[in-house]
């Protein structure tokens, strides 16, 4: 009975679930700790790096956008939402990233129309000109906590223990042990010693 119910639930799941991620089943460039849980293994045509540390759970959808993109996730970390990597996204140890969060390390298109006018046609033939696209690595340091539906844009560093309020759009660095919120996110307050 239990077996039949489980089979039915799995058959309704829209994406591939992998409880553990045995090394032999994934891209040879991926490096997952034995006890890491990666729910959705990205299927990418690009040569990329993806490492996940011990006791970490990655529920997030991961989109690699080009060759050389790297994503590293530390230990005892939980990542949900969507990570879009063309450059580098580095997530530390003991971090929590809630549902609906999007982390993107680039602008996707040029802000100049003349430089993005052919982007859709290029896409249609599987090409992309990255030269005019601003991109910069994102780093989310140890012990940070990102609330649901936050957006973290290119070049941002969330410092150790930094907290991003739900629904924020983060365009600038978050200092360690600081809460930010809003759009664009601003400093709300610094966490006291007793809150660390
Ligand atoms: C709007 C955008 C393209 C501008 O990029 P940019 O020209 O490189 O802008 P910068 O990062 O230099 O930021 C310029 C200012 O706008 C602010 N800003 C940037 N993006 C912002 C956003 N999404 N919301 C609020 N403020 C924002 C920055 O804080 C900065 O403020 P300041 O002048 O007070 O310092 C970019 O920030 C963005 O939103 N990128 C995501 C694009 C996207 O949605 N791609 C998905 C696939 S199509």
């Amino acid at each position: 009975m239990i077996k039949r119910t489980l089979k039915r639930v799995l058959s309704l799941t829209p994406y591939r679930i992998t409880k553990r991620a045995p090394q032999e089943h994934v891209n040879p460039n991926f490096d997952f700790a034995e006890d890491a849980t990666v729910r959705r293994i990205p299927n990418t045509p690009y040569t990329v790096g993806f490492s996940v540390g011990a006791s970490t759970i990655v529920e997030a959808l991961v989109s690699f956008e080009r060759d050389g993109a790297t994503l590293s996730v530390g230990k005892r970390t939980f990542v949900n939402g969507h990570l879009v990597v063309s450059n580098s996204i580095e997530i530390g140890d003991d971090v929590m990233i809630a549902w609906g969060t999007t982390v993107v390390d680039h602008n996707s298109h040029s802000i100049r129309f003349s430089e993005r006018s052919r982007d859709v046609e290029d896409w249609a033939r599987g090409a992309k000109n990255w030269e005019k696209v601003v991109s910069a690595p994102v780093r989310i340091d140890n012990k940070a906590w990102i609330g649901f539906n936050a957006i973290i844009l290119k070049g941002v560093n969330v410092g150790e223990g930094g907290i991003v309020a739900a629904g924020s759009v983060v365009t600038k660095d978050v200092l360690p042990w600081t809460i930010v919120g809003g759009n664009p996110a601003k400093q709300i307050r610094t966490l006291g010693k007793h809150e660390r």
Side-chain angles (χ1 to χ4, degrees):
M1 176 63 182
I2 293 174
K3 225 172 165 182
R4 220 178 319 134
T5 310
L6 191 64
K7 215 170 161 187
R8 187 168 145 64
V9 168
L10 287 175
S11 72
L12 295 173
T13 306
Y15 48 81
R16 190 176 143 212
I17 281 191
T18 309
K19 174 73 179 86
R20 300 279 182 234
Q23 299 283 344
E24 67 270 21
H25 291 159
V26 299
N27 186 317
N29 295 314
F30 294 176
D31 180 16
F32 300 160
E34 272 298 301
D35 68 347
T37 299
V38 180
R39 299 278 188 207
R40 297 186 252 187
I41 308 287
N43 188 5
T44 176
Y46 303 114
T47 303
V48 299
F50 182 13
S51 64
V52 179
S55 306
T56 279
I57 301 171
V58 180
E59 299 263 0
L61 173 65
V62 175
S63 303
F64 289 107
E65 302 265 89
R66 64 170 159 168
D67 280 340
T70 59
L71 170 62
S72 78
V73 185
K75 293 176 261 181
R76 300 173 301 278
T77 281
F78 174 80
V79 188
N80 209 335
H82 189 185
L83 309 177
V84 189
V85 204
S86 78
N87 185 321
S88 156
I89 296 180
E90 205 180 316
I91 299 168
D93 300 337
D94 305 295
V95 171
M96 288 191 295
I97 299 184
W99 68 90
T101 294
T102 307
V103 183
V104 189
D105 65 6
H106 59 283
N107 272 351
S108 305
H109 307 282
S110 170
I111 55 162
R112 293 185 192 183
F113 176 72
S114 59
E115 292 176 350
R116 67 171 187 273
S117 60
R118 301 194 65 86
D119 283 5
V120 175
E121 287 166 296
D122 283 353
W123 256 341
R125 57 181 183 85
K128 172 93 181 168
N129 181 359
W130 284 98
E131 271 172 37
K132 309 292 181 192
V133 178
V134 175
S135 96
V138 171
R139 220 181 67 232
I140 300 175
D141 290 343
N142 298 345
K143 303 176 188 169
W145 176 22
I146 315 297
F148 63 86
N149 287 340
I151 293 174
I152 299 189
L153 293 175
K154 63 187 183 293
V156 165
N157 168 225
V158 179
E160 184 184 17
I163 297 178
V164 172
S168 305
V169 178
V170 187
T171 60
K172 300 204 186 315
D173 290 355
V174 177
L175 293 174
W177 304 108
T178 297
I179 307 180
V180 301
N183 178 5
K186 300 269 184 266
Q187 188 164 327
I188 296 173
R189 74 178 177 90
T190 304
L191 290 149
K193 287 262 182 291
H194 61 293
E195 294 173 306
R196 300 182 185 187

